Amino acid sequence: MGDNFACLDDFEKHALSVLPKNALDYYTSGAGAQTTLEDNKRAFSRYKIRPRFLRDVSKRDLSTTVLGEKISMPIGISPTAMQRMAHPEGELANARAAEAMGTIYTLSTIATSSIEEVAQAAPKCVKWFQLYIFRDRSVTIDLVQRAEKAGFKALVLTVDAPVFGIRLADVRNRFTMPPHLALKNFTSLSMTKFDDKIEGSRLTGYVASLFDDTLNWEDIKWLKTITTLPILLKGILTAEDAVLAVNHQVDGIVVSNHGGRQLDSTFASIDVLEEIVNAVGNKTEVYLDGGIRDGTDVFKALVLGAKMVFIGRPALWGLAYNGEEGVKKILRIIRHEFDTTLALCGCCNVGEIKREMVVHESHHSKL
Ligand SMILES: Cc1cc2nc3c(=O)[nH]c(=O)nc-3n(C[C@H](O)[C@H](O)[C@H](O)COP(=O)(O)O)c2cc1C
Ligand SMILES: CCCCCCC(=O)C(=O)O
């Protein structure tokens, strides 16, 4: 099985058939009625491509430069928590796959492998560290210092989770991490001690007890005082916040609704991308995640102004299939799809992508 997997959705179908219910529900869930989760994917189909032909596309190059680093393609891996529920090598396998494919791996704070283990497993990979800010600031300072020391190249501060989104399946399952796993970035702060009798799942209790829900723009200034790494804000969904981010001199913005897991009924990330890109101009780099499932999605996001995109769940499905090899296969497939899309649109590289190459489907009805 697996040799005939042709697209990312084939890996998802496989994962649905092999992962234990507790983990699978945690990985797949969105918040509430899951309208944003579903819309993240569906929204891409509402954008249509206007290809150009007869342009000699024989010599193509997918590489790009992000925060000054050259990477092989504009497709990287989003932070997802607890990756060892998908495969025994979890984050290590995922980072090794990104390294082999020459792209960026983002490690979650809530990881089942430590910062140091990931750095050792994939020393040449361009690694970013996703940061949650804890009420106990010494926890966050420790994470930042360790990420810097281990050679991570940027901090991705997640801004859309002052409290935990309500994911109904996790509530019903009273989700908790399997006992053989640990949150390896901490020596204490294990999940088991958090009350599962409060509303929500044990994760809700964990976040409510430990994450700092006073987080605000002043904290961006504080974060800048404790690190020299570039700071990216993940979870920005409006032009207003994007402008504030620029005013606070962040180095990048990840347009994201957390894969539909935090606040249901927000717009799909692709639908707010252009508003944000227009608001920030060339003052900061803009990336996108949420619902990217094939090469045409990548192309559409780049046309609408993203410098790069990231995939979350598909990498978990790759892990569930076959660890590092599974994630490499996922990345190879989407890379090939993006390459094919570029060629069929008359582009040889990302610099040749032009705004007029994508329109919203409502475009023709307005003509
Ligand atoms: C199982 C799972 C765990 C996640 N954990 C984190 C996390 O620890 N930190 C974070 O900033 N985002 C987290 N996210 C959100 C992802 O970084 C990303 O925004 C989202 O998965 C992108 O959507 P996609 O899964 O459709 O590609 C998680 C998403 C999933 C599915
Ligand atoms: C143990 C707390 C879980 C933290 C959040 C992980 C995450 O961001 C997610 O979407 O799930």
Side-chain angles (χ1 to χ4, degrees), residues 26-27 78-81 108 110 130 132 158 234 256 258-259 261 289-291 293 310-314 316:
Y26 170 68
Y27 287 160
S78 290
T80 55
S108 169
I110 308 297
Q130 179 271 327
Y132 280 124
T158 300
K234 173 172 179 283
S256 169
H258 211 113
R261 293 161 72 79
D289 78 13
R293 295 296 180 269
F310 293 86
I311 54 171
R313 293 179 183 85
L316 297 171

Coordinates of all heavy atoms in Angstrom, one line a residue, residues 26-27 78-81 108 110 130 132 158 234 256 258-259 261 289-291 293 310-314 316, ligand 1:
Y26 N -8.2 14.4 17.4 CA -7.4 15.6 17.8 C -6.8 16.2 16.5 O -6.9 17.5 16.3 CB -6.3 15.3 18.8 CG -5.4 16.4 19.0 CD1 -5.8 17.6 19.6 CD2 -4.1 16.4 18.5 CE1 -4.9 18.7 19.8 CE2 -3.2 17.4 18.7 CZ -3.6 18.6 19.3 OH -2.8 19.7 19.4
Y27 N -6.2 15.4 15.7 CA -5.6 15.9 14.5 C -6.6 16.5 13.5 O -6.3 17.6 12.9 CB -4.8 14.8 13.8 CG -3.5 14.4 14.4 CD1 -2.9 13.1 14.1 CD2 -2.8 15.2 15.3 CE1 -1.7 12.7 14.7 CE2 -1.6 14.8 15.9 CZ -1.1 13.5 15.6 OH 0.1 13.1 16.1
S78 N 4.0 23.5 8.8 CA 3.4 24.3 9.9 C 3.7 23.6 11.2 O 3.8 22.3 11.3 CB 1.9 24.4 9.8 OG 1.5 25.2 8.7
P79 N 3.7 24.3 12.3 CA 3.8 23.7 13.7 C 2.5 22.9 14.0 O 1.4 23.4 13.9 CB 4.0 24.8 14.6 CG 3.3 26.0 13.9 CD 3.5 25.8 12.5
T80 N 2.7 21.6 14.3 CA 1.5 20.9 14.9 C 2.0 20.1 16.1 O 3.1 19.6 16.1 CB 0.9 19.9 13.8 OG1 2.0 19.0 13.4 CG2 0.3 20.6 12.7
A81 N 1.2 20.1 17.1 CA 1.6 19.6 18.4 C 1.6 18.1 18.4 O 0.9 17.5 17.5 CB 0.6 20.1 19.5
S108 N 6.6 22.9 17.0 CA 5.6 23.4 18.0 C 6.2 23.5 19.4 O 7.0 22.6 19.8 CB 4.4 22.5 18.0 OG 3.5 22.9 19.1
I110 N 4.5 22.7 21.8 CA 3.8 21.5 22.4 C 4.2 20.3 21.7 O 3.4 19.6 21.1 CB 2.3 21.7 22.4 CG1 1.9 23.1 23.0 CG2 1.5 20.6 23.2 CD1 2.2 23.3 24.5
Q130 N 7.9 27.6 16.9 CA 6.6 28.2 17.2 C 6.5 28.4 18.7 O 6.7 27.5 19.5 CB 5.5 27.3 16.7 CG 4.1 27.8 17.1 CD 3.6 27.3 18.4 OE1 3.9 26.2 18.8 NE2 2.8 28.2 19.1
Y132 N 4.4 29.6 22.2 CA 3.3 30.0 23.0 C 3.9 30.7 24.2 O 4.9 30.3 24.8 CB 2.5 28.8 23.5 CG 1.5 28.3 22.5 CD1 1.6 26.9 22.1 CD2 0.6 29.1 21.9 CE1 0.7 26.5 21.1 CE2 -0.3 28.6 20.9 CZ -0.3 27.3 20.5 OH -1.1 26.9 19.6
T158 N 2.4 32.4 18.1 CA 1.0 32.2 17.7 C 0.1 33.1 18.5 O 0.2 33.1 19.8 CB 0.7 30.7 18.0 OG1 1.5 29.9 17.2 CG2 -0.8 30.4 17.7
K234 N 1.8 34.5 13.9 CA 1.0 33.5 13.2 C -0.5 33.6 13.7 O -0.7 33.5 15.0 CB 1.5 32.1 13.5 CG 0.7 30.9 13.0 CD 1.4 29.6 13.2 CE 0.6 28.5 12.7 NZ -0.5 28.0 13.6
S256 N -3.4 32.9 8.9 CA -3.7 31.6 9.4 C -4.9 31.7 10.3 O -5.0 32.6 11.1 CB -2.6 31.0 10.1 OG -2.9 29.8 10.8
H258 N -5.4 28.9 12.1 CA -5.0 27.7 13.0 C -5.7 26.5 12.5 O -6.1 25.6 13.2 CB -5.4 28.0 14.4 CG -4.6 27.4 15.5 ND1 -3.8 28.2 16.3 CD2 -4.4 26.1 15.9 CE1 -3.2 27.4 17.2 NE2 -3.5 26.1 16.9
G259 N -5.8 26.4 11.1 CA -6.4 25.2 10.5 C -7.9 25.1 11.0 O -8.4 24.0 11.1
R261 N -9.2 25.7 13.9 CA -9.2 25.0 15.2 C -9.5 25.9 16.3 O -9.8 25.5 17.5 CB -7.9 24.3 15.5 CG -7.7 23.1 14.6 CD -6.2 22.7 14.5 NE -5.8 22.0 15.7 CZ -6.0 20.8 16.0 NH1 -6.7 20.0 15.2 NH2 -5.5 20.2 17.1
D289 N -1.1 29.7 5.8 CA -1.4 28.2 6.0 C -2.9 28.1 6.1 O -3.6 29.1 6.3 CB -0.6 27.5 7.0 CG -1.1 27.8 8.5 OD1 -2.2 28.3 8.7 OD2 -0.3 27.4 9.4
G290 N -3.3 26.8 5.9 CA -4.8 26.5 6.1 C -5.4 26.0 4.8 O -5.6 26.8 3.8
G291 N -5.6 24.7 4.7 CA -6.3 24.1 3.5 C -5.5 23.9 2.3 O -6.0 23.5 1.3
R293 N -3.8 21.8 -0.1 CA -3.8 20.4 -0.3 C -3.2 20.0 -1.7 O -3.1 18.8 -2.0 CB -5.2 19.8 -0.2 CG -5.8 20.0 1.2 CD -5.1 19.1 2.2 NE -5.6 19.3 3.6 CZ -5.2 20.2 4.5 NH1 -4.3 21.0 4.2 NH2 -5.8 20.2 5.6
F310 N 2.5 27.0 4.0 CA 2.8 25.9 5.0 C 1.7 24.9 5.0 O 0.5 25.3 4.9 CB 3.1 26.4 6.4 CG 4.3 27.3 6.4 CD1 4.3 28.6 6.1 CD2 5.6 26.7 6.7 CE1 5.4 29.4 6.1 CE2 6.7 27.5 6.7 CZ 6.6 28.9 6.4
I311 N 2.0 23.6 5.2 CA 1.0 22.6 5.4 C 1.1 22.0 6.8 O 2.2 21.8 7.4 CB 1.2 21.4 4.4 CG1 2.6 20.8 4.4 CG2 0.8 21.9 3.0 CD1 2.8 19.5 3.6
G312 N -0.1 21.8 7.4 CA -0.1 21.3 8.8 C -0.5 19.8 8.8 O 0.3 18.9 8.9
R313 N -1.8 19.5 8.6 CA -2.3 18.1 8.7 C -1.7 17.2 7.7 O -1.3 16.0 8.0 CB -3.8 18.1 8.6 CG -4.5 18.7 9.8 CD -6.0 18.7 9.6 NE -6.8 19.4 10.7 CZ -7.0 20.7 10.7 NH1 -6.6 21.5 9.7 NH2 -7.7 21.2 11.7
P314 N -1.5 17.6 6.4 CA -0.9 16.7 5.5 C 0.4 16.0 5.9 O 0.7 14.8 5.7 CB -0.7 17.5 4.2 CG -1.8 18.5 4.3 CD -1.9 18.9 5.7
L316 N 1.2 15.4 9.0 CA 0.8 14.3 9.9 C 0.4 13.1 9.2 O 0.7 12.0 9.7 CB -0.3 14.8 10.9 CG 0.1 16.1 11.7 CD1 -1.2 16.6 12.4 CD2 1.1 15.7 12.8
Ligands
LIG1 C1 -3.1 18.6 15.2 C2 -2.8 20.0 15.0 C3 -2.0 20.6 16.0 C4 -1.6 21.9 15.9 N1 -0.8 22.5 16.8 C5 -0.4 23.8 16.7 C6 0.6 24.3 17.6 O1 1.1 23.7 18.5 N2 0.9 25.6 17.4 C7 0.4 26.4 16.4 O2 0.7 27.6 16.3 N3 -0.5 25.9 15.5 C8 -0.9 24.6 15.6 N4 -1.7 24.1 14.7 C9 -2.1 24.9 13.6 C10 -1.2 24.7 12.4 O3 0.1 25.3 12.7 C11 -1.7 25.3 11.1 O4 -2.1 26.6 11.3 C12 -2.8 24.5 10.4 O5 -2.7 23.1 10.7 C13 -2.9 24.7 8.9 O6 -4.0 24.1 8.4 P1 -3.9 22.7 7.6 O7 -3.9 21.7 8.6 O8 -5.2 22.7 6.8 O9 -2.7 22.7 6.7 C14 -2.1 22.7 14.8 C15 -2.9 22.1 13.8 C16 -3.2 20.8 13.9 C17 -4.0 20.2 12.9

